């Protein structure tokens, strides 16, 4: 993926501007990244721009915009489905009010996410939760599926989530629980902060093998520039996958990439981490002041001074390979070529 939330909103706004009569009636909602029929996209709903616009179009706004997360030229306006139920709408068309009157009167509800099923029908996915300790430590109990066109509401428990629903666990719940785990790693009486850790500054929603994950780095308490590992958490089941490795945090990698192109003044997007021929690598688009992608950057997690940039992904990867060849004495894939055996004594397993 090369299109972030901000760029997706800009591309959707440009698409909306192609229909002048529509732009005066609606405004764009919050983009949501999701996997639809195997394609990674951002979906942006259209909201009423005011009370009188709602009053004259009570059947709903005319659809949504789909922006490819991998191709800036692939933007589609879909008008086959009305968006009648909306957040911050009016009277019974308001999403929270509609939910309260259709089964969620006494439930905790949070995290309104706009998602499409495999046919393109839009839904609002709203997480239901309960607090496990008084008024604290919220835990997801399921989701409410609200048909954005008809208003039909269905509640699904954690064991009955439809396959097309990508996000159940709110990001704030996951980050809070990771930080609690790091804060109380040795219990509450750990005044020396031994082995404490926390999430790094920022997280990303990524997809791997068709599943949606929250991905974030882990850093020691008081250490802002180095990561001690990375964690992927399934956004439906909350199953974690931990990668223990030392290296740079996401922010450090962004600064390193920006430093290589400082004469151009490009800003780096929040990176995702890739396995590039066995080398843990940050990847990020580089954007100009107008928010347009101008170059791409690869940054080594282990040694964030190893940076490769280029105007295309292929050119950036070639540059990255050359930098690794100079800094580490071997290019990407060199250690994987041919069959070989190595003998020796393992000195440490951790």
């Amino acid at each position: 993926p090369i299109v972030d939330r901000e760029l997706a909103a800009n591309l959707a706004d440009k698409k909306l501007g192609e229909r002048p009569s529509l732009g005066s009636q609606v405004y764009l909602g919050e983009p949501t990244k999701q996997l639809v029929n195997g394609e990674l996209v951002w979906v942006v709903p259209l909201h009423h721009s005011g009370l009188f616009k709602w009053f004259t179009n009570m059947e709903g706004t005319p659809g949504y915009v789909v922006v490819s997360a991998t191709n800036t030229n692939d933007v589609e306006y879909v008008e086959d489905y009305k968006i009648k139920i909306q957040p911050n709408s009016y009277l019974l068309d308001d999403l929270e009010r509609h939910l309260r009157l259709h089964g969620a009167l006494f439930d905790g509800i949070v995290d309104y996410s706009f998602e499409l099923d495999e046919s393109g029908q839009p839904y609002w996915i709203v997480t239901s939760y309960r607090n496990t300790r008084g008024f604290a430590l919220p835990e997801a109990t399921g989701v409410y599926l609200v048909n954005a066109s008809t208003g039909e509401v269905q509640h699904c428990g954690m064991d009955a989530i439809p396959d097309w629903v990508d996000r159940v666990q709110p990001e704030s719940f996951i980050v809070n629980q990771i930080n609690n785990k790091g804060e109380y790693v040795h219990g509450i009486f750990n005044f020396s902060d031994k082995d404490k850790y926390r999430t790094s500054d920022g997280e990303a929603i990524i997809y791997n093998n068709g599943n949606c994950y929250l991905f974030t780095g882990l850093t020691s308490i008081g250490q802002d520039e180095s990561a001690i590992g990375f964690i992927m958490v399934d956004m439906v089941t909350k199953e974690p996958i931990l990668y223990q490795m030392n290296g740079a945090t996401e922010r450090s990698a962004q600064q390193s990439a920006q430093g290589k192109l400082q004469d151009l003044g490009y800003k780096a997007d929040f990176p995702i981490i890739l396995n590039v021929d066995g080398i843990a690598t940050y990847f990020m688009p580089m954007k100009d002041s107008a928010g347009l992608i101008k170059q791409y950057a690869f940054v080594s997690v282990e040694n964030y001074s190893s940076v490769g940039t280029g105007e295309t992904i292929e050119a950036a990867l070639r540059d990255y390979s050359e930098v690794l060849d100079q800094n580490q004495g071997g290019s990407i894939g060199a250690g994987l070529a041919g069959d070989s055996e190595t003998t020796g004594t393992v000195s440490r397993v951790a």
Side-chain angles (χ1 to χ4, degrees):
I2 60 174
V3 177
D4 65 355
R5 186 187 305 273
E6 180 183 2
L7 182 56
N10 290 339
L11 292 173
D13 187 61
K14 181 180 177 182
K15 192 70 175 179
L16 194 63
E18 297 175 0
R19 300 169 179 262
S21 60
L22 186 61
S24 63
Q25 300 291 315
V26 300
Y27 72 94
L28 293 169
E30 187 73 14
T32 303
K33 185 192 288 186
Q34 55 200 271
L35 201 65
V36 181
N37 293 320
E39 297 293 330
L40 189 60
V41 297
W42 292 93
V43 181
V44 191
L46 303 182
H47 293 337
H48 292 294
S49 58
L51 175 61
F52 292 104
K53 310 298 172 50
W54 168 78
F55 192 73
T56 56
N57 296 281
M58 296 186 67
E59 71 278 4
T61 52
Y64 52 86
V65 180
V66 179
V67 181
S68 172
T70 58
N71 183 358
T72 57
N73 297 318
D74 187 1
V75 184
E76 180 184 5
Y77 169 58
V78 180
E79 54 184 355
D80 298 333
Y81 301 95
K82 296 288 187 180
I83 311 298
K84 178 177 175 60
I85 307 300
Q86 304 172 15
N88 303 316
S89 190
Y90 304 94
L91 298 181
L92 299 181
D93 286 351
D94 177 75
L95 176 56
E96 182 175 357
R97 188 177 296 117
H98 183 82
L99 259 178
R100 293 300 185 191
L101 296 175
H102 291 81
L105 185 59
F106 300 107
D107 280 354
I109 53 176
V110 70
D111 198 36
Y112 304 162
S113 176
F114 187 78
E115 295 192 24
L116 309 179
D117 66 10
E118 299 304 333
S119 67
Q121 172 63 51
Y123 285 83
W124 293 103
I125 309 301
V126 183
T127 300
S128 62
Y129 71 93
R130 61 180 176 84
N131 290 313
T132 58
R133 293 292 185 274
F135 295 98
L137 301 182
E139 191 70 52
T141 60
V143 292
Y144 283 96
L145 310 181
V146 183
N147 189 307
S149 302
T150 66
E152 180 184 356
V153 177
Q154 177 186 0
H155 184 265
C156 300
M158 294 300 297
D159 57 347
I161 305 295
D163 291 339
W164 57 268
V165 175
D166 292 344
R167 298 174 62 177
V168 175
Q169 305 288 341
E171 296 175 41
S172 60
F173 286 13
I174 295 175
V175 171
N176 184 55
Q177 291 183 21
I178 294 173
N179 287 333
N180 284 342
K181 175 73 172 178
E183 175 68 21
Y184 303 110
V185 62
H186 292 307
I188 62 174
F189 301 109
N190 184 13
F191 303 113
S192 64
D193 292 342
K194 180 182 179 183
D195 296 331
K196 285 186 179 182
Y197 61 86
R198 59 175 175 82
T199 57
S200 57
D201 185 15
E203 60 273 345
I205 299 297
I206 65 171
Y207 282 79
N208 190 41
N209 295 326
N211 295 326
C212 179
Y213 294 91
L214 182 140
F215 185 93
T216 184
L218 301 176
T219 183
S220 299
I221 296 293
Q223 300 246 359
D224 295 329
E225 300 300 325
S226 61
I228 61 173
F230 303 89
I231 190 169
M232 285 170 53
V233 182
D234 192 297
M235 296 292 284
V236 176
T237 65
K238 209 175 64 172
E239 179 184 358
I241 304 173
L242 178 65
Y243 300 92
Q244 292 182 319
M245 66 178 77
N246 295 323
T249 62
E250 296 92 337
R251 297 301 181 191
S252 299
Q254 286 177 281
Q255 293 170 1
S256 181
Q258 290 169 180
K260 185 168 183 178
L261 300 175
Q262 58 184 335
D263 56 319
L264 301 174
Y266 295 157
K267 298 296 182 182
D269 273 352
F270 192 82
I272 60 173
I273 195 170
L274 304 175
N275 182 343
V276 181
D277 281 351
I279 300 173
T281 303
Y282 287 117
F283 167 75
M284 65 205 83
M286 308 295 295
K287 298 195 295 188
D288 62 12
S289 58
L292 301 177
I293 297 175
K294 294 300 183 181
Q295 292 200 28
Y296 303 91
F298 291 89
V299 181
S300 171
V301 172
E302 182 179 356
N303 179 12
Y304 64 97
S305 64
S306 298
V307 182
T309 59
E311 295 185 357
T312 65
I313 295 177
E314 292 77 10
L317 192 59
R318 285 195 299 271
D319 185 46
Y320 180 57
S321 177
E322 293 173 0
V323 170
L324 289 178
D325 189 36
Q326 296 170 4
N327 293 350
Q328 301 177 3
S331 61
I332 294 176
L336 304 178
D339 296 327
S340 62
E341 292 184 358
T342 300
T343 59
T345 302
V346 176
S347 60
R348 182 169 181 261
V349 177

